[in-house]
Amino acid sequence: MILGLTWLVAFQLLGEVTVRLLDLPVPGPVVGMLYLLVFLRLRRPAAGAPVLRAGDGLLRHLQLFFVPAGVGVVAYLGVLGDDWLPITVAMLGSWLVALAVVGWTAVGLERLLGEPRDDQPRTAR
Amino acid sequence: MTSAADTLLEVARSPLGLLGITLGGYQAGRWLLRRTGDHALAQPVLVAVVVAGGAITLLGVEYADYRSATEIVAFWLGPATVALAIPLHRQVDRLRGFVVPLLVAVVLGAAASISSGVLLARWLGAEQALEETLAAKAATTPVAIALTEPLGGIPALAAVFAITIGIVGAVAGPATLHLLRIRDRRARGLALGAVSHGVGASRMLREHETEGAFAGLSMGLSALAISVLLPVLALLLW
């Protein structure tokens, strides 16, 4: 477990260094993700490799790691005050617009380029 | 008797107590998710935020103190984000024939997210500082904070908007994609990662590995697209 976590932290560090040296506008862990992907493509570790076990273990509980930031929302609720209506509509409205734009563009271009793969998921809950 | 209650409150307000409340809230969320047969509202992140947020309000703990007590939990977000490469590695074959649709969709989505958020807020009479704070919300939280400051918005509030829209995506994402009739798993992951970043990816990972993998990729690419497009669109919008 610790060996795998060490790998993940090492790729995160590599990402942080890259972001700072090149002054990139994305977070270090996102660049670290890219490095890990390249590493996995090149080395193709076996199914039970420490880095895969540790990574899968963390991803199972990805939601937990957002909780401290999420509690900040509760702390801020009072500040919204009179602006709650424009905030709520702008948030939900633009979320829906962008969700549809990304989804429909991707599916539409796929059809246009001749490689549609409609794998119908089971009915939504 | 009162001294025992005081001791209990003191322990609850200690860093360990706050950490326990956070982990307990998360486990309660997981239990609720199983009990309700994966009900969309029973997202562990949402349940834990309600439990811990309610607890610090009742206990009179400042958010800054709560935040430093739970830094040990938030820390793992970095390595977990790196780990999003793992589902992508397993799904890399599914990138074939999807690279162009993917890139075009992410760029259009970033532009749509920024401009529709700003214009909707303006239409409803929001102040300019609020419009600027809403612009970057679809980006992952650290990017939203970094982009909001030079724009003239309020960075702390931008973080709140980003995390909120993430939780909205975790709750409503799959059902909304169903209503929009988007059935390709790659497009579904791509769309939710673009609007609800890592929190959206966390929901998609539980739905299907392909959806989770593309949501993680989309979170990274969208952060980049929003960073590049926001200064350009700002010239047009304000």
Side-chain angles (χ1 to χ4, degrees):
Chain A
M1 188 69 181
I2 296 296
L3 176 60
L5 292 175
T6 308
W7 274 109
L8 294 175
V9 170
F11 281 110
Q12 187 183 348
L13 278 170
L14 213 58
E16 296 287 356
V17 170
T18 308
V19 164
R20 278 171 212 203
L21 286 182
L22 301 180
D23 207 15
L24 294 177
V26 292
V30 168
V31 177
M33 175 188 2
L34 199 72
Y35 283 137
L36 177 58
L37 180 65
V38 172
F39 172 83
L40 293 174
R41 297 313 298 161
L42 295 175
R43 295 289 297 271
R44 295 177 187 273
V51 66
L52 299 181
R53 286 222 312 275
D56 284 331
L58 285 182
L59 286 180
R60 256 197 301 285
H61 298 289
L62 185 54
Q63 289 204 355
L64 170 64
F65 312 135
F66 288 105
V67 175
V71 172
V73 178
V74 178
Y76 255 91
L77 279 181
V79 188
L80 301 186
D82 299 335
D83 287 326
W84 67 270
L85 181 69
I87 290 174
T88 309
V89 175
M91 292 267 281
L92 295 180
S94 75
W95 178 82
L96 183 62
V97 167
L99 188 76
V101 165
V102 177
W104 285 341
T105 305
V107 171
L109 282 177
E110 246 182 298
R111 293 208 179 116
L112 206 68
L113 299 172
E115 265 202 80
R117 285 233 219 140
D118 248 16
D119 33 15
Q120 181 115 30
R122 62 218 178 286
T123 48
R125 282 182 296 269
Chain B
M1 194 62 205
T2 38
S3 84
D6 285 348
T7 310
L8 214 62
L9 278 177
E10 200 177 299
V11 173
R13 290 191 185 109
S14 72
L16 185 66
L18 296 172
L19 194 61
I21 290 167
T22 304
L23 291 171
Y26 175 71
Q27 295 299 349
R30 299 218 308 152
W31 175 82
L32 205 63
L33 189 68
R34 277 197 304 273
R35 266 310 284 269
T36 58
D38 285 357
H39 193 280
L41 269 175
Q43 294 304 310
V45 61
L46 179 60
V47 175
V49 163
V50 170
V51 168
I56 67 166
T57 309
L58 289 177
L59 292 168
V61 174
E62 292 285 327
Y63 175 63
D65 293 334
Y66 171 80
R67 184 66 213 231
S68 62
T70 51
E71 200 51 57
I72 187 171
V73 172
F75 165 80
W76 292 105
L77 192 52
T81 303
V82 173
L84 282 169
I86 295 170
L88 195 57
H89 164 63
R90 294 191 186 115
Q91 300 286 328
V92 89
D93 290 344
R94 306 219 48 192
L95 269 172
R96 196 174 303 131
F98 195 60
V99 173
V100 173
L102 176 155
L103 293 175
V104 175
V106 162
V107 171
L108 287 182
S113 168
I114 296 166
S115 44
S116 66
V118 170
L119 294 176
L120 277 170
R122 182 173 304 167
W123 176 57
L124 290 162
E127 289 166 34
Q128 185 168 335
L130 194 56
E131 294 174 19
E132 288 157 347
T133 309
L134 281 161
K137 65 173 181 324
T140 178
T141 315
V143 175
I145 293 171
L147 289 175
T148 301
E149 190 148 37
L151 210 58
I154 309 148
L157 196 56
V160 168
F161 290 164
I163 198 88
T164 304
I165 212 63
I167 294 175
V168 166
V171 170
T176 312
L177 287 165
H178 181 77
L179 288 176
L180 294 172
R181 297 179 186 286
I182 296 162
R183 299 199 180 86
D184 184 302
R185 291 198 190 282
R186 299 173 297 181
R188 289 168 65 87
L190 197 71
L192 199 62
V195 294
S196 292
H197 51 88
V199 193
S202 73
R203 170 75 195 267
M204 286 320 224
L205 275 171
R206 279 214 318 275
E207 298 287 309
H208 192 276
E209 188 171 50
T210 306
E211 296 183 352
F214 280 85
L217 177 66
S218 176
M219 173 202 69
L221 291 175
S222 295
L224 189 62
I226 292 170
S227 312
V228 173
L229 283 176
L230 190 53
V232 182
L233 285 173
L235 297 176
L236 300 172
L237 288 166
W238 290 291

